[in-house]
Coordinates of all heavy atoms in Angstrom, one line a residue:
L75 N -100.3 -74.9 -133.3 CA -100.9 -76.2 -133.1 C -102.3 -76.2 -133.6 O -103.1 -75.2 -133.3 CB -100.9 -76.6 -131.6 CG -99.5 -76.6 -130.9 CD1 -99.6 -77.0 -129.5 CD2 -98.5 -77.5 -131.7
Y76 N -102.7 -77.2 -134.3 CA -104.1 -77.3 -134.8 C -104.9 -78.2 -133.8 O -104.5 -79.3 -133.5 CB -104.2 -77.9 -136.2 CG -105.5 -78.0 -136.7 CD1 -106.4 -76.9 -136.8 CD2 -106.0 -79.3 -137.2 CE1 -107.7 -77.0 -137.3 CE2 -107.3 -79.4 -137.7 CZ -108.1 -78.3 -137.8 OH -109.4 -78.4 -138.3
T77 N -106.0 -77.7 -133.2 CA -106.8 -78.4 -132.2 C -107.8 -79.3 -132.8 O -108.4 -80.1 -132.1 CB -107.4 -77.4 -131.3 OG1 -108.5 -76.7 -132.0 CG2 -106.5 -76.5 -130.6
G78 N -108.1 -79.2 -134.1 CA -109.1 -79.9 -134.7 C -110.2 -79.0 -135.2 O -111.0 -79.2 -136.1
S79 N -110.3 -77.8 -134.5 CA -111.3 -76.8 -134.9 C -110.8 -75.4 -134.9 O -111.4 -74.5 -135.3 CB -112.5 -76.9 -133.9 OG -112.1 -76.6 -132.6
D80 N -109.5 -75.3 -134.4 CA -108.9 -73.9 -134.3 C -107.4 -74.1 -134.2 O -106.9 -75.2 -134.2 CB -109.4 -73.2 -133.0 CG -109.3 -71.7 -133.1 OD1 -108.7 -71.2 -134.1 OD2 -109.7 -71.0 -132.1
F81 N -106.7 -73.0 -134.2 CA -105.3 -73.0 -134.1 C -104.8 -72.3 -132.8 O -105.5 -71.3 -132.4 CB -104.6 -72.3 -135.3 CG -104.8 -73.0 -136.6 CD1 -105.9 -72.7 -137.4 CD2 -103.8 -73.9 -137.0 CE1 -106.0 -73.4 -138.6 CE2 -104.0 -74.6 -138.2 CZ -105.1 -74.3 -139.0
M82 N -103.8 -72.8 -132.1 CA -103.2 -72.2 -130.9 C -101.8 -71.9 -131.2 O -101.1 -72.7 -131.8 CB -103.4 -73.2 -129.7 CG -104.8 -73.5 -129.3 SD -104.9 -74.6 -127.9 CE -104.1 -73.5 -126.7
I83 N -101.3 -70.7 -130.7 CA -100.0 -70.3 -130.8 C -99.3 -70.4 -129.5 O -99.9 -70.0 -128.5 CB -99.8 -68.9 -131.4 CG1 -100.5 -68.8 -132.7 CG2 -98.4 -68.4 -131.4 CD1 -100.7 -67.3 -133.3
I84 N -98.1 -71.1 -129.4 CA -97.5 -71.4 -128.2 C -96.1 -70.7 -128.1 O -95.6 -70.2 -129.1 CB -97.4 -72.9 -127.9 CG1 -96.5 -73.5 -129.1 CG2 -98.7 -73.6 -127.9 CD1 -96.1 -75.0 -128.8
D85 N -95.5 -70.8 -126.9 CA -94.1 -70.4 -126.7 C -93.8 -69.0 -127.0 O -93.1 -68.7 -128.0 CB -93.1 -71.4 -127.5 CG -93.1 -72.8 -126.9 OD1 -93.6 -73.0 -125.8 OD2 -92.5 -73.7 -127.6
F86 N -94.3 -68.1 -126.2 CA -94.1 -66.7 -126.4 C -92.9 -66.1 -125.8 O -92.8 -64.9 -125.6 CB -95.4 -65.9 -125.9 CG -96.5 -66.0 -126.9 CD1 -97.4 -67.1 -126.8 CD2 -96.8 -65.1 -127.8 CE1 -98.5 -67.2 -127.6 CE2 -97.9 -65.2 -128.7 CZ -98.7 -66.3 -128.6
E87 N -91.9 -66.9 -125.4 CA -90.7 -66.4 -124.8 C -89.7 -65.8 -125.7 O -88.7 -65.3 -125.3 CB -90.1 -67.5 -123.9 CG -89.3 -68.5 -124.6 CD -90.1 -69.7 -125.1 OE1 -91.4 -69.6 -125.1 OE2 -89.6 -70.8 -125.4
G88 N -89.9 -65.9 -127.0 CA -89.0 -65.4 -128.0 C -87.9 -66.3 -128.3 O -87.9 -67.5 -127.9
E89 N -87.0 -65.9 -129.2 CA -85.9 -66.7 -129.6 C -84.9 -67.0 -128.4 O -84.3 -66.1 -127.8 CB -85.1 -66.0 -130.7 CG -83.8 -66.7 -131.1 CD -84.1 -68.1 -131.6 OE1 -84.9 -68.3 -132.5 OE2 -83.4 -69.0 -131.0
P90 N -84.8 -68.3 -128.0 CA -84.1 -68.7 -126.8 C -82.6 -68.2 -126.9 O -82.0 -68.0 -125.8 CB -84.2 -70.2 -126.8 CG -85.4 -70.5 -127.5 CD -85.5 -69.5 -128.6
A91 N -82.0 -68.1 -128.1 CA -80.6 -67.8 -128.2 C -80.3 -66.3 -127.9 O -79.2 -65.9 -127.8 CB -80.0 -68.2 -129.5
R92 N -81.4 -65.5 -127.9 CA -81.2 -64.0 -127.8 C -81.3 -63.7 -126.3 O -82.1 -64.3 -125.5 CB -82.2 -63.3 -128.6 CG -82.1 -63.5 -130.1 CD -83.1 -62.6 -130.8 NE -83.1 -62.9 -132.2 CZ -82.4 -62.3 -133.1 NH1 -81.5 -61.4 -132.8 NH2 -82.5 -62.6 -134.4
P93 N -80.6 -62.6 -125.8 CA -80.7 -62.2 -124.4 C -82.1 -61.8 -124.1 O -82.8 -61.3 -125.0 CB -79.7 -61.0 -124.4 CG -78.8 -61.2 -125.6 CD -79.6 -61.9 -126.6
L94 N -82.5 -62.0 -122.8 CA -83.8 -61.6 -122.4 C -84.2 -60.2 -122.7 O -85.3 -59.8 -123.1 CB -84.0 -62.0 -120.9 CG -85.4 -61.7 -120.4 CD1 -86.4 -62.6 -121.1 CD2 -85.4 -62.1 -118.9
A95 N -83.2 -59.3 -122.4 CA -83.5 -57.8 -122.6 C -83.8 -57.5 -124.1 O -84.6 -56.7 -124.4 CB -82.3 -57.0 -122.1
E96 N -83.1 -58.2 -125.0 CA -83.4 -58.1 -126.4 C -84.7 -58.6 -126.8 O -85.4 -58.0 -127.6 CB -82.3 -58.8 -127.2 CG -82.3 -58.5 -128.7 CD -81.1 -59.1 -129.4 OE1 -80.0 -59.1 -128.8 OE2 -81.3 -59.5 -130.5
R97 N -85.1 -59.8 -126.2 CA -86.4 -60.4 -126.5 C -87.6 -59.5 -126.0 O -88.7 -59.6 -126.6 CB -86.5 -61.8 -125.9 CG -85.6 -62.8 -126.6 CD -85.9 -64.2 -126.0 NE -84.8 -64.5 -125.0 CZ -84.9 -65.5 -124.1 NH1 -86.0 -66.2 -124.0 NH2 -83.9 -65.8 -123.3
R98 N -87.4 -58.7 -125.0 CA -88.4 -57.9 -124.5 C -88.7 -56.6 -125.2 O -89.7 -55.9 -125.0 CB -88.1 -57.6 -123.0 CG -88.1 -58.8 -122.1 CD -87.8 -58.5 -120.7 NE -88.8 -57.5 -120.1 CZ -88.7 -56.9 -118.9 NH1 -87.6 -57.1 -118.2 NH2 -89.6 -56.1 -118.5
Q99 N -87.8 -56.3 -126.1 CA -87.9 -55.0 -126.8 C -89.1 -55.1 -127.8 O -89.4 -56.1 -128.4 CB -86.7 -54.7 -127.6 CG -85.5 -54.4 -126.8 CD -84.2 -54.2 -127.6 OE1 -84.2 -54.4 -128.8 NE2 -83.1 -53.9 -126.9
K100 N -89.8 -53.9 -128.0 CA -90.8 -53.9 -129.0 C -90.2 -53.9 -130.4 O -89.2 -53.3 -130.6 CB -91.7 -52.6 -128.8 CG -92.5 -52.7 -127.5 CD -93.4 -51.4 -127.4 CE -94.3 -51.5 -126.1 NZ -95.1 -50.4 -126.0
R101 N -90.9 -54.6 -131.3 CA -90.3 -54.7 -132.6 C -91.4 -54.6 -133.7 O -92.6 -54.6 -133.3 CB -89.6 -56.1 -132.7 CG -88.5 -56.3 -131.7 CD -87.8 -57.6 -131.9 NE -86.6 -57.7 -131.0 CZ -85.4 -57.2 -131.3 NH1 -85.2 -56.5 -132.4 NH2 -84.4 -57.3 -130.4
S102 N -91.0 -54.7 -134.9 CA -92.0 -54.8 -136.0 C -92.6 -56.1 -136.1 O -92.0 -57.2 -136.0 CB -91.3 -54.5 -137.3 OG -92.1 -54.8 -138.4
A103 N -94.0 -56.1 -136.2 CA -94.7 -57.4 -136.4 C -94.2 -58.1 -137.6 O -94.4 -59.4 -137.7 CB -96.2 -57.1 -136.5
L104 N -93.6 -57.5 -138.6 CA -93.1 -58.1 -139.8 C -92.0 -59.1 -139.5 O -91.7 -60.0 -140.3 CB -92.7 -57.1 -140.8 CG -93.9 -56.3 -141.5 CD1 -93.4 -55.2 -142.3 CD2 -94.8 -57.3 -142.3
Q105 N -91.4 -59.0 -138.3 CA -90.3 -60.0 -138.0 C -91.0 -61.4 -137.8 O -90.4 -62.4 -138.2 CB -89.6 -59.6 -136.7 CG -88.6 -58.5 -137.0 CD -87.7 -58.3 -135.8 OE1 -88.0 -57.5 -134.8 NE2 -86.5 -58.9 -135.8
D106 N -92.2 -61.4 -137.2 CA -92.9 -62.6 -137.0 C -93.4 -63.2 -138.4 O -93.3 -64.4 -138.6 CB -94.1 -62.5 -136.1 CG -93.7 -62.6 -134.6 OD1 -92.6 -63.0 -134.3 OD2 -94.5 -62.2 -133.8
V107 N -93.8 -62.3 -139.2 CA -94.2 -62.7 -140.6 C -93.0 -63.3 -141.3 O -93.2 -64.4 -141.9 CB -94.8 -61.5 -141.4 CG1 -95.1 -61.9 -142.8 CG2 -96.0 -60.9 -140.7
A108 N -91.9 -62.7 -141.2 CA -90.7 -63.2 -141.8 C -90.3 -64.6 -141.3 O -89.9 -65.5 -142.0 CB -89.5 -62.3 -141.7
G109 N -90.5 -64.8 -140.0 CA -90.2 -66.1 -139.4 C -91.1 -67.2 -139.9 O -90.6 -68.3 -140.2
M110 N -92.4 -66.9 -140.1 CA -93.3 -67.9 -140.7 C -93.0 -68.1 -142.1 O -93.0 -69.3 -142.6 CB -94.7 -67.4 -140.5 CG -95.7 -68.5 -141.0 SD -95.6 -70.1 -140.1 CE -96.3 -69.6 -138.5
L111 N -92.6 -67.1 -142.9 CA -92.3 -67.3 -144.3 C -91.0 -68.2 -144.4 O -91.0 -69.1 -145.3 CB -92.1 -66.0 -145.0 CG -93.3 -65.1 -145.2 CD1 -93.0 -63.7 -145.7 CD2 -94.3 -65.8 -146.1
R112 N -90.1 -68.0 -143.6 CA -88.9 -68.8 -143.6 C -89.2 -70.2 -143.2 O -88.6 -71.2 -143.7 CB -87.8 -68.2 -142.7 CG -87.2 -66.9 -143.1 CD -86.4 -67.0 -144.4 NE -85.4 -68.1 -144.3 CZ -85.2 -69.0 -145.3 NH1 -85.9 -68.9 -146.4 NH2 -84.4 -70.0 -145.1
S113 N -90.2 -70.4 -142.3 CA -90.6 -71.7 -141.8 C -91.2 -72.5 -143.0 O -91.0 -73.7 -143.1 CB -91.6 -71.6 -140.7 OG -91.9 -72.8 -140.2
F114 N -91.9 -71.9 -143.9 CA -92.4 -72.6 -145.1 C -91.3 -73.1 -145.9 O -91.4 -74.2 -146.5 CB -93.3 -71.7 -145.9 CG -94.6 -71.2 -145.2 CD1 -95.1 -69.9 -145.4 CD2 -95.3 -72.0 -144.3 CE1 -96.2 -69.5 -144.8 CE2 -96.4 -71.6 -143.7 CZ -96.9 -70.3 -143.9
H115 N -90.2 -72.4 -146.0 CA -89.1 -72.8 -146.8 C -88.5 -74.1 -146.2 O -88.2 -75.1 -146.8 CB -88.0 -71.7 -146.8 CG -87.0 -71.9 -147.9 ND1 -85.8 -71.1 -147.9 CD2 -86.8 -72.8 -148.9 CE1 -85.1 -71.5 -149.0 NE2 -85.6 -72.5 -149.5

């Protein structure tokens, strides 16, 4: 979200369709990068 002077990132609960135990696992930061790149598409 753009506040007018900065950006805020929300909803850190992970992908809702995945089990909670899977969402809590440590992962590569590049998964988030891939998510944003797909979002541009």
Side-chain angles (χ1 to χ4, degrees):
L75 306 179
Y76 181 55
T77 67
S79 59
D80 201 356
F81 292 91
M82 296 181 65
I83 300 171
I84 61 170
D85 290 348
F86 283 85
E87 75 272 16
E89 174 55 58
R92 297 184 187 272
L94 183 59
E96 190 175 323
R97 287 185 260 165
R98 294 178 62 188
Q99 293 175 357
K100 291 184 179 181
R101 300 182 176 277
S102 168
L104 289 172
Q105 284 191 276
D106 279 345
V107 174
M110 185 58 72
L111 292 172
R112 292 294 310 134
S113 186
F114 295 146
H115 197 188

